[in-house]
């Protein structure tokens, strides 16, 4: 597609429910990133996929968080048993691999846990 | 570990020049990026430095000193629309993988 697409744009869920957030990266971008941004804060790294390599999961805050990337394209971030502190904007980005390659961001999914 | 520091907030006047500083500590340095983020929107790319020195793009310039772990973003002829958060990000590489680590951002307010 023309840009990084994320869905849904907004999600309100009850505490304890599971949620799935979707990211469709720019075609041809082998690298895909998930970040979390709480209100007024910076971007917190969650997970990174590159090609067929094992993902870098070092930023996932707990084992309730998981992500997969199917066929080297679309990615899904899953949060199980959501908690109120999970409320944030979840941003996905994709990039080419190589010097100077910038990351392109989607519009994000605003998650509210009530 | 990796650490990026930048001021939380800055205020400047329309038409003025403002410099936003960023210091970093990282391993496998592979470039420093600046992004602009308006409230409620996604970050958008502004500039990139991988070698020491100054890069200029229109009203925006970015400087890098790798030995000092220091960068700054210079915004000239400030406009009201420049009110936004400015994010400093370091890309680091390890064993062929690349990761962008972001600072907490500097919220810039441009006053008339």
């Amino acid at each position: 597609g023309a840009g990084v697409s994320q869905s849904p744009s907004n999600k309100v869920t009850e505490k304890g429910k599971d949620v799935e957030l979707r990211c469709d990266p720019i075609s041809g971008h082998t690298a895909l990133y998930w970040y979390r941004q709480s209100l007024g804060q910076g971007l917190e790294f969650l997970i990174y996929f590159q090609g067929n390599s094992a993902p870098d999961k070092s930023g996932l805050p707990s084992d309730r968080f998981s992500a997969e990337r199917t066929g080297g394209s679309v990615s899904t971030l899953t949060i199980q048993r959501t908690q109120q502190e999970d409320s944030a904007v979840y941003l996905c980005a994709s990039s080419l691999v190589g010097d100077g390659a910038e990351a392109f961001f989607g519009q994000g999914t605003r998650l509210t846990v009530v | 570990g990796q650490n990026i520091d930048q001021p939380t907030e800055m205020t400047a006047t329309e038409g003025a020049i403002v410099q936003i500083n960023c210091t970093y500590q990282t391993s496998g340095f592979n470039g420093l990026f600046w992004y602009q983020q308006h409230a409620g929107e996604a970050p958008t790319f502004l500039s990139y430095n991988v070698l020491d020195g100054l890069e200029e793009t229109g009203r925006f310039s970015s400087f890098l000193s790798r030995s000092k772990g220091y960068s700054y973003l210079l915004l000239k002829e400030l406009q009201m629309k420049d009110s936004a958060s400015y994010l400093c990000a370091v890309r680091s590489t390890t064993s062929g993988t690349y990761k962008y680590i972001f600072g907490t951002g500097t919220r810039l307010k441009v006053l008339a």
Side-chain angles (χ1 to χ4, degrees):
Chain A
V4 178
S5 177
Q6 292 188 244
S7 62
S9 54
N10 281 283
K11 176 73 176 178
V12 179
T13 189
E14 292 181 350
K15 178 181 174 181
K17 300 285 190 182
D18 298 351
V19 295
E20 283 191 353
L21 312 180
R22 177 190 169 102
C23 173
D24 202 341
I26 293 172
S27 178
H29 281 190
T30 57
L32 186 147
Y33 312 81
W34 283 98
Y35 292 88
R36 178 169 70 175
Q37 188 172 36
S38 301
L39 188 63
Q41 302 297 311
L43 274 64
E44 175 189 4
F45 168 78
L46 296 178
I47 188 169
Y48 160 58
F49 297 89
Q50 181 176 317
N52 296 320
S53 302
D56 179 344
K57 304 179 182 179
S58 60
L60 295 178
S62 76
D63 58 9
R64 296 187 295 105
F65 289 73
S66 63
E68 62 177 21
R69 188 178 186 190
T70 55
S73 182
V74 172
S75 177
T76 302
L77 177 69
T78 301
I79 308 174
Q80 295 178 309
R81 305 181 302 279
T82 52
Q83 303 294 314
Q84 288 187 328
E85 60 263 30
D86 299 335
S87 296
V89 176
Y90 289 82
L91 289 163
C92 175
S94 70
S95 75
L96 296 170
V97 175
D99 290 345
E102 70 200 74
F104 293 82
F105 284 85
Q107 291 299 310
T109 294
R110 182 176 299 277
L111 175 67
T112 304
V113 182
V114 298
Chain B
Q2 304 188 57
N3 191 50
I4 300 175
D5 288 314
Q6 49 182 133
T8 303
E9 281 194 4
M10 298 184 71
T11 303
T13 305
E14 191 175 18
I17 299 172
V18 70
Q19 177 174 315
I20 302 174
N21 296 324
C22 171
T23 58
Y24 66 89
Q25 294 177 309
T26 189
S27 56
F29 177 82
N30 189 252
L32 189 135
F33 295 76
W34 284 93
Y35 281 79
Q36 181 190 59
Q37 186 179 28
H38 284 100
E41 298 183 9
T44 55
F45 170 78
L46 285 179
S47 70
Y48 161 72
N49 296 71
V50 68
L51 299 177
D52 291 352
L54 191 68
E55 294 287 338
E56 298 188 66
T57 308
R59 294 188 298 115
F60 296 167
S61 303
S62 57
F63 171 83
L64 175 67
S65 169
R66 287 172 297 170
S67 62
K68 295 181 180 178
Y70 168 68
S71 173
Y72 68 72
L73 178 69
L74 195 70
L75 291 77
K76 304 175 187 175
E77 301 169 14
L78 280 173
Q79 302 174 9
M80 299 298 289
K81 67 179 182 179
D82 296 330
S83 292
S85 286
Y86 291 85
L87 306 172
C88 174
V90 171
R91 193 168 83 155
S92 65
T93 181
T94 307
S95 302
T97 64
Y98 298 82
K99 192 160 68 177
Y100 299 85
I101 302 298
F102 284 81
T104 55
T106 298
R107 195 174 309 117
L108 175 66
K109 298 180 184 177
V110 180
L111 305 176

